Amino acid sequence: MNGPVKVCAVDPLAVIRSRLVRQGLDGEAFGEVADAVAWLGAVQAQEFAEAKWSLAERVRGATDESVEAAFTRGDILRTHALRPTWHFLSRSDARWILRLTRPRVHALNAYWYRKADLDGALFARADHIVTRALADEEFLTRSELADRLREAGIEATGPRLAYILMHAELEELVCSGPRRGRQHTYALFDERVPTSEYEDRSVESGLQELIYRYLRSHGPATLRDVTTWASLPVRESRIALAELGTRIESVTDDNGTVWHWTGHVASAVPKSEPMTRAFLLPMYDEMTVAYQDLRVVLDTALPRVDFLERAVVIDGTTVGTWKRTLAARSVVVEVTLVRELSLGERSALDVVIERFGRFLGLSASLECSVGT
């Protein structure tokens, strides 16, 4: 995307500022990791280290250790939902979100299931082997589950193993367990996820709730944003939007419609003063991957950005990219800017660098350059 994109006559910068507030990045932060995940509905999490920082930017005083502890306890789960990739879900929301979105994820995976020679009979066998192994040993790594499958006559490596385990996740059989060192483990879903108050929620009710959660936490947004984010059917999503009534509002012009929540966190298009905070958005942050329209506002000096890169954002505007270099007791954050920063912007950047160091429990330093 080259430069700001006009969406429904709405000021692009105001939209991004509003999203920063709605997502818990600017303004009052969340008190607990699970609260942030529940508010957002789901948080993309295939890059685990990146996803932990993504949550920590939204949670008051969170550190790498405190986010990891919430994951270890099972307050948040890492599983496949919404799309064919890992997401964090809150424990209380995992069942109904999986039941709502898994048919679409299975449909998106169908070609790859066939390519890997995976059919219903083989999935049934594999599911039995995997769940029996976890019932015997509680937490097992991917390679350990591959060994159990191979011992039972099912060869499972590479993508084939990935789709076998993803299928088991989607069917509410397994989910994330605590990490063993740096290795992820799987656990039985029923052991990690208690019966939910939303257990008997209908598909229609779940669809409304997920769209409501998305607009409440991610809006202003378009219908294309929400249906792509959660792999939802467009026709049914339009009906759900209409049934949300006064809880949401829309702005429409010749370019289309933008929807937003009517709640108190922030107005849809706030005419606010410039934001003073800087953000080091990680790869796959919800501020970028959760949208098809108006992902971020780019500085006009920035001709192109890969939205899977890490973005430096100040006052809703992407002013550069960043990467980190870890040492035993320190971290160096290298920032490549598209322009020189003002004194106030540089001060805001220094603050978030210090915050990133506290998150990691390391001394943090900044190396800054202006790209050509």
Side-chain angles (χ1 to χ4, degrees):
M1 178 165 53
N2 294 326
V5 175
K6 181 180 180 182
V7 176
C8 301
V10 173
D11 175 14
L13 182 55
V15 169
I16 302 305
R17 287 173 175 169
S18 183
R19 288 175 179 173
L20 286 167
V21 175
R22 295 290 178 91
Q23 287 207 20
L25 284 164
D26 199 78
E28 186 175 352
F30 294 96
E32 301 291 340
V33 171
D35 293 339
V37 174
W39 175 264
L40 292 163
V43 175
Q44 192 161 329
Q46 76 266 42
E47 294 292 336
F48 189 68
E50 305 277 337
K52 286 194 291 181
W53 169 239
S54 185
L55 288 178
E57 281 209 290
R58 294 162 166 86
V59 178
R60 194 164 48 250
T63 63
D64 185 84
E65 288 185 354
S66 68
V67 178
E68 184 86 36
F71 175 75
T72 299
R73 291 191 303 268
D75 297 347
I76 58 172
L77 306 171
R78 184 172 177 260
T79 191
H80 281 84
L82 274 71
R83 306 185 299 281
T85 190
W86 274 295
H87 284 80
F88 284 137
L89 301 176
S90 73
R91 181 163 46 193
S92 61
D93 291 327
R95 288 186 186 274
W96 71 266
I97 289 179
L98 275 166
R99 291 177 187 182
L100 175 66
T101 63
R102 73 168 165 237
R104 298 281 289 186
V105 181
H106 277 321
L108 291 169
N109 286 344
Y111 168 81
W112 299 106
Y113 291 163
R114 292 191 299 271
K115 192 174 178 65
D117 293 322
L118 298 170
D119 58 19
L122 194 142
F123 276 132
R125 284 183 59 211
D127 288 345
H128 176 72
I129 294 162
V130 166
T131 54
R132 184 177 62 187
L134 289 170
D136 290 341
E137 300 191 47
E138 191 173 19
F139 305 122
L140 291 171
T141 66
R142 175 174 290 210
S143 61
E144 289 168 340
L145 288 173
D147 290 341
R148 303 302 190 278
L149 289 163
R150 185 172 57 254
E151 290 164 4
I154 296 177
E155 196 62 34
T157 58
R160 195 167 200 251
L161 175 62
Y163 282 108
I164 286 173
L165 294 177
M166 190 190 308
H167 184 276
E169 289 177 310
L170 290 167
E171 292 299 315
E172 301 173 56
L173 298 174
V174 304
C175 64
S176 58
R179 290 207 295 171
R180 189 191 303 161
R182 293 190 176 186
Q183 293 189 80
H184 286 274
T185 70
Y186 288 85
L188 288 174
F189 187 87
D190 286 343
E191 295 295 322
R192 300 286 274 178
V193 183
T195 300
S196 168
E197 63 183 291
Y198 306 116
E199 194 76 11
D200 298 324
R201 171 171 274 159
S202 67
V203 171
E204 293 76 13
S205 172
L207 184 60
Q208 287 183 40
E209 179 65 21
L210 190 58
I211 291 175
Y212 172 69
R213 295 257 191 122
Y214 176 85
L215 291 175
R216 182 185 69 176
S217 61
H218 291 74
T222 65
L223 178 64
R224 185 168 73 118
D225 289 332
V226 64
T227 57
T228 303
W229 178 75
S231 304
L232 298 176
V234 173
R235 179 179 176 277
E236 289 83 348
S237 297
R238 288 187 188 278
I239 294 171
L241 278 170
E243 291 176 345
L244 286 172
T246 58
R247 289 192 291 173
I248 61 171
E249 291 180 351
S250 63
V251 177
T252 302
D253 68 6
D254 291 341
N255 296 308
T257 301
V258 168
W259 298 87
H260 65 91
W261 179 51
T262 56
H264 70 280
V265 173
S267 63
V269 188
K271 297 184 183 302
S272 57
E273 295 297 319
M275 292 177 168
T276 57
R277 290 189 62 189
F279 303 98
L280 299 177
L281 297 186
M283 291 189 294
Y284 304 110
D285 190 87
E286 288 293 305
M287 276 297 296
T288 53
V289 300
Y291 305 99
Q292 296 299 302
D293 300 310
L294 258 186
R295 292 180 176 181
V296 290
V297 174
L298 301 182
D299 189 284
T300 53
L302 190 59
R304 184 173 180 83
V305 128
D306 179 350
F307 288 101
L308 301 185
E309 289 182 335
R310 303 177 181 101
V312 181
V313 175
I314 300 178
D315 187 27
T317 300
T318 300
V319 297
T321 58
W322 66 282
K323 62 181 180 179
R324 66 180 191 177
T325 302
L326 294 170
R329 297 183 181 179
S330 63
V331 58
V332 176
V333 180
E334 299 173 61
V335 171
T336 302
L337 298 167
V338 298
R339 60 173 173 80
E340 296 289 348
L341 300 182
S342 69
L343 290 177
E345 289 171 330
R346 179 54 190 259
S347 178
L349 182 58
D350 289 339
V351 168
V352 73
I353 297 299
E354 182 182 356
R355 166 79 181 90
F356 186 62
R358 290 199 305 272
F359 163 74
L360 294 173
L362 301 172
S363 172
S365 59
L366 170 64
E367 292 185 1
C368 210
S369 62
V370 178
T372 56

